Amino acid sequence: MKLSDSILVKVVIGILILIIAGFLFWRYSTKAYSPEDSSTYSDGSLKMEVVYNRPYKKEREIFGGLVPYNEVWRTGANEATTFTTNSDIYVDGSFLKEGTYTLWTIPMENSWKVIFNSKMYPWGINLEKKAYREEEFDVLVVEVPTRNLQEALEQFSIYFEKANDLVLLNLAWDKTKVTIPIKK
């Protein structure tokens, strides 16, 4: 190998190391502001999990501001939120086959559309800051009413609750909460 070839290989390796280090730093720094979390539910043979990133309010106007009304939201921050169920379920009365889905929402003032999409996406938004969601992969869309919370919730939260024969999937942030009823 000539000396110039050796230098070229070292330069290429150096550039690759810088790119990888930059990506890892960027990924770590975004997670510091919106840490990744998960919420799980298990009862008998039914197991469900939501994996999402939890942004903070930080004195911002959230719904109708940071998260515009009537536009698709990635339902959290960073990567697209995922919802996994190991059994067929009924979401607000509509059938959803077992599997893993990306979870998208369209917040509106008095209700939200909750969308289960069969495609996995590398990130929640594209370079134009629009949701990556491709509508043709939507397998289920339900609309649920919003509920006002007495006190503002600082960090976006997704959690399950058991209520009689239903499982409630709750999405809450700032002074807004939506509840999606699920039944096996």
Side-chain angles (χ1 to χ4, degrees), residues 33-104:
Y33 297 111
S34 299
E36 186 175 290
D37 202 353
S38 65
S39 182
T40 58
Y41 178 83
S42 182
D43 185 17
S45 64
L46 176 61
K47 292 177 182 25
M48 294 183 286
E49 180 181 40
V50 177
V51 178
Y52 68 112
N53 288 271
R54 302 184 66 200
Y56 289 90
K57 178 176 169 43
K58 298 185 205 171
E59 300 181 18
R60 300 176 288 189
E61 178 186 355
I62 301 303
F63 298 109
L66 178 67
V67 178
Y69 286 129
N70 303 310
E71 290 185 23
V72 176
W73 179 41
R74 61 181 150 177
T75 316
N78 304 332
E79 295 92 351
T81 295
T82 59
F83 174 90
T84 302
T85 176
N86 71 335
S87 298
D88 295 346
I89 56 175
Y90 289 89
V91 178
D92 197 27
S94 297
F95 180 78
L96 182 66
K97 184 174 173 45
E98 72 173 282
T100 298
Y101 302 91
T102 48
L103 186 67
W104 307 85

Side-chain angles (χ1 to χ4, degrees), residues 1-12:
M1 186 183 285
K2 294 185 211 173
L3 182 60
S4 62
D5 289 342
S6 174
I7 292 172
L8 180 62
V9 168
K10 289 177 183 177
V11 167
V12 168

Side-chain angles (χ1 to χ4, degrees), residues 69 107-112 143-148 176-178:
Y69 286 129
M108 299 173 285
E109 288 189 59
N110 299 311
S111 65
W112 285 19
E143 189 169 338
V144 293
T146 59
R147 195 173 106 212
N148 292 326
T176 302
K177 177 180 175 181
V178 294

Side-chain angles (χ1 to χ4, degrees), residues 125-141:
I125 57 174
N126 61 24
L127 294 175
E128 289 83 40
K129 296 191 177 188
K130 298 291 182 193
Y132 257 125
R133 170 185 159 256
E134 296 173 47
E135 196 172 344
E136 62 267 22
F137 294 99
D138 293 351
V139 295
L140 179 62
V141 179

Side-chain angles (χ1 to χ4, degrees), residues 110-124:
N110 299 311
S111 65
W112 285 19
K113 289 184 181 176
V114 180
I115 304 161
F116 295 82
N117 185 286
S118 63
K119 186 171 178 179
M120 297 299 114
Y121 301 87
W123 201 247

